[in-house]
Amino acid sequence: MTGVADRSGVTTVEADGIAPLTRLGEHAPVAPDWTCGTCGDDWPCAPKQDRLLTEYGADRAMLSVYLGACLAAAAEDLHAGGSTSLQDRFFGWLPRRARRH
C-alpha cells in the first residue's frame, strides 16, 4: 500500500502500515485498523471531517478523489472490499449538493 496525502501534505498512511508522526491534533488515521491517531474514533472522525470540508472548500471533486484513495487503502487493510459500511464511513458524511434542474 502506498501513502495517501491530504492537501496539507501530511501522509496519512505509510507503506508499512504505521502512521507517521503528525502535528498535534492532526487526526490522521492509524493503519491497519483505520482509527484516528488523536481521538481513537473510526477515521475520518468528526474533527477530521470538519477539517477536510474547510480544507477542500468548494473543491468537492478533489475531496472525493482523496477520500476514494483513503477508502481503497482502508478496504485493503480491513479486508472489506466493496463494503457499503466503509463507503458510508468515508462518503456518507459529506453534505449533499442541491440538484440543478
Side-chain angles (χ1 to χ4, degrees):
M1 173 181 45
T2 60
V4 179
D6 63 16
R7 283 192 172 193
S8 66
V10 175
T11 300
T12 56
V13 179
E14 293 295 321
D16 59 4
I18 299 171
L21 294 176
T22 59
R23 295 182 297 246
L24 185 61
E26 184 61 36
H27 292 274
V30 177
D33 57 355
W34 283 79
T35 57
C36 176
T38 302
C39 66
D41 289 344
D42 284 345
W43 194 92
C45 59
K48 186 62 174 186
Q49 292 171 7
D50 291 341
R51 186 170 291 157
L52 288 169
L53 288 172
T54 299
E55 184 178 316
Y56 283 86
D59 197 352
R60 182 155 176 150
M62 286 308 299
L63 176 55
S64 295
V65 168
Y66 170 67
L67 289 172
C70 292
L71 171 64
E76 182 180 317
D77 286 343
L78 299 171
H79 306 290
S83 170
T84 301
S85 63
L86 272 184
Q87 291 173 2
D88 289 343
R89 179 173 157 183
F90 282 84
F91 291 102
W93 56 271
L94 290 171
R96 302 270 189 243
R97 283 191 179 174
R99 290 184 177 219
R100 295 182 191 187
H101 296 295

